[in-house]
Amino acid sequence: MAVVHLLGTGAAFSDARRTTTMLAFESRGRAVVVDCGADVVQRLLAAGIGVDAVDALVVTHEHPDHAAGFPLFMERIWIGGRRRPIDVYGIAPAIAQARRCYEAFETGGWKDVPEIRWHGVEHSEGAHVLEDARWRITAAPGTHGVPVIGLRVEDVLGGGVAAYSCDTEPCDAIVRLARGARLLVHEASGGFKGHTSNEDAARVAAEAGTERLVLVHLPPDVKDADLEEARRTFPQVEFGEDGGRDEF
Ligand SMILES: [Zn+2]
Ligand SMILES: [Zn+2]
């Protein structure tokens, strides 16, 4: 059984309970991390995932709340004893942003810092992200102010599928990405340009035929009563909480 750890569940600005939205997909002690807008290593440790257990990092898009913690991620895995290379995946603008952030720091004196292996992902529906003994991960573009990808994560060993919308308006490509998944992790910042309301996220889950829906990228002070209308469309919906985990 694979697990998604909700390392963070907040929007770019949220309340004191939530940091920026970051996820880790874990299978048998190894993890693929998605986004690093804040101190993702602290959140990984809180989830019981050590710096050597991270097989890959996916940066979904260039916004600070998803990419700005990359230099801190590198510093902390290096000091934490990581020596093997780290594979980093993303569409071109996301990778460029992470590189720029990292290059803003003088790291020439960091002895034995892990090699960064950059992997470009096409900004197109069904784009291949990575495939190994544990995962088959593909992507699809969302609709946001900048190029962005959502992810479809298949657990090769257990057969479960989870999808993550990343930052997006309600969008058909994300419905197709999530088709038949056990779990959809969808953003719900609100019903304004580039983002999604609770009710529209529920509609996406219903159209995609997923079993469950967890909402992330949440604004301040959300409360369960806010889900009343969304539950009429899709009963199996809940707000994600920092430190939460879901099997799929
Ligand atoms: Zn964004
Ligand atoms: Zn965001």
Side-chain angles (χ1 to χ4, degrees), residues 12 61 63 65-66 144 167 195 217:
H61 66 300
H63 280 156
D65 57 312
H66 298 261
H144 195 47
D167 292 14
H195 293 282
H217 211 277

Side-chain angles (χ1 to χ4, degrees), residues 59-137:
V59 182
T60 59
H61 66 300
E62 68 200 69
H63 280 156
D65 57 312
H66 298 261
F70 183 69
L72 182 61
F73 169 78
M74 288 304 302
E75 182 187 37
R76 283 170 65 83
I77 65 170
W78 168 59
I79 294 174
R82 168 80 174 227
R83 293 296 175 265
R84 69 187 179 101
I86 178 77
D87 291 291
V88 182
Y89 298 80
I91 51 175
I95 284 193
Q97 186 75 297
R99 289 187 91 127
R100 273 194 301 272
C101 291
Y102 190 59
E103 286 162 6
F105 295 87
E106 179 48 61
T107 57
W110 295 10
K111 192 173 177 303
D112 298 328
V113 66
E115 176 197 353
I116 304 169
R117 297 193 298 215
W118 303 99
H119 303 268
V121 175
E122 271 183 41
H123 191 234
S124 63
E125 224 178 313
H128 169 84
V129 180
L130 71 88
E131 184 160 0
D132 62 18
R134 289 181 170 78
W135 307 109
R136 188 175 302 115
I137 304 181

Side-chain angles (χ1 to χ4, degrees), residues 113-220:
V113 66
E115 176 197 353
I116 304 169
R117 297 193 298 215
W118 303 99
H119 303 268
V121 175
E122 271 183 41
H123 191 234
S124 63
E125 224 178 313
H128 169 84
V129 180
L130 71 88
E131 184 160 0
D132 62 18
R134 289 181 170 78
W135 307 109
R136 188 175 302 115
I137 304 181
T138 54
T143 304
H144 195 47
V146 299
V148 63
I149 48 170
L151 299 172
R152 180 180 177 93
V153 178
E154 302 180 33
D155 170 22
V156 172
L157 299 170
V161 177
Y164 170 44
S165 70
C166 197
D167 292 14
T168 185
E169 293 175 16
C171 150
D172 289 344
I174 299 298
V175 172
R176 291 189 288 270
L177 181 82
R179 186 79 71 202
R182 286 198 186 137
L183 175 69
L184 172 60
V185 179
H186 202 289
E187 78 118 286
S189 298
F192 46 90
K193 192 170 164 42
H195 293 282
T196 300
S197 66
N198 301 336
E199 296 74 28
D200 280 338
R203 252 171 242 124
V204 170
E207 279 180 43
T210 68
E211 289 177 17
R212 285 174 292 126
L213 171 64
V214 172
L215 302 178
V216 297
H217 211 277
L218 301 170

